[in-house]
Amino acid sequence: MRLAIISGLLLKQVVTPGLYKGMAKLQLFFQSLIVILAVLFHLSHADVGTAAHYRTPYLPTACYGNDATQFPSSNLFGSAGEGIWDNGAACGRQYLVRCISAAHPRTCIPGQTIQIKIVDRALSSVSRPSRHGATIVLSKTAFGMIAKPSATGINIEFTQV
């Protein structure tokens, strides 16, 4: 502790007062920058992709065939696009999904995040999606909870639960 104080005093005696204050401000700036970056990276756990919607019929599905009990009672489910299909390993996975933007302003419903269950593969689903190539194709109910149902596609943030 004394050595730090002594070296600090020596530094003040060797360096001009204006330069010493500038160095202290610079050190404070970099410490603040590190804290801000740490917070930003800590909050960035989600992936970004696109979502479309599809309508009934939902059966049969690539995951569970004709079993109607596969659908959550909330009707918050979806089909996995090729990017997350993972050769069928996506079946049953749960995702938190929120709309972050769309081609038309005010399409997203602010503050809405839903939890969906993957029950199908988008590429082979019986119903065709509103837009091809989506990361996740949501049931009409799920899509309507996070965006205006009239939209064909949206940009989403999603996290596996």
Side-chain angles (χ1 to χ4, degrees):
M1 186 74 169
R2 280 188 174 174
L3 184 57
I5 293 172
I6 290 172
S7 65
L9 290 174
L10 289 176
L11 183 62
K12 285 183 183 178
Q13 290 174 358
V14 174
V15 178
T16 63
L19 183 61
Y20 183 76
K21 286 180 183 177
M23 288 172 49
K25 287 180 181 178
L26 190 61
Q27 181 181 12
L28 180 62
F29 169 76
F30 281 115
Q31 288 173 341
S32 300
L33 183 64
I34 289 170
V35 168
I36 290 169
L37 289 174
V39 167
L40 288 176
F41 284 114
H42 178 70
L43 297 176
S44 301
H45 288 100
D47 289 310
V48 175
T50 58
H53 57 80
Y54 66 138
R55 301 173 184 248
T56 58
Y58 297 123
L59 291 174
T61 68
C63 294
Y64 308 103
N66 284 307
D67 182 7
T69 63
Q70 67 184 301
F71 302 110
S73 59
S74 63
N75 284 325
L76 300 179
F77 59 88
S79 297
E82 292 305 295
I84 63 169
W85 175 243
D86 197 14
N87 205 25
C91 291
R93 284 185 185 157
Q94 303 271 329
Y95 287 96
L96 292 175
V97 182
R98 76 178 185 99
C99 180
I100 54 174
S101 67
H104 300 287
R106 294 183 295 281
T107 298
C108 295
I109 299 173
Q112 283 292 91
T113 300
I114 57 171
Q115 184 169 335
I116 60 129
K117 176 184 176 184
I118 298 296
V119 298
D120 205 354
R121 181 181 188 187
L123 193 61
S124 62
S125 66
V126 176
S127 262
R128 297 293 83 197
S130 59
R131 181 188 290 177
H132 293 286
T135 309
I136 299 174
V137 180
L138 300 169
S139 67
K140 197 72 172 158
T141 302
F143 192 89
M145 289 190 72
I146 60 172
K148 289 183 179 174
S150 58
T152 56
I154 56 174
N155 297 313
I156 58 167
E157 181 180 81
F158 64 101
T159 307
Q160 186 177 342
V161 181

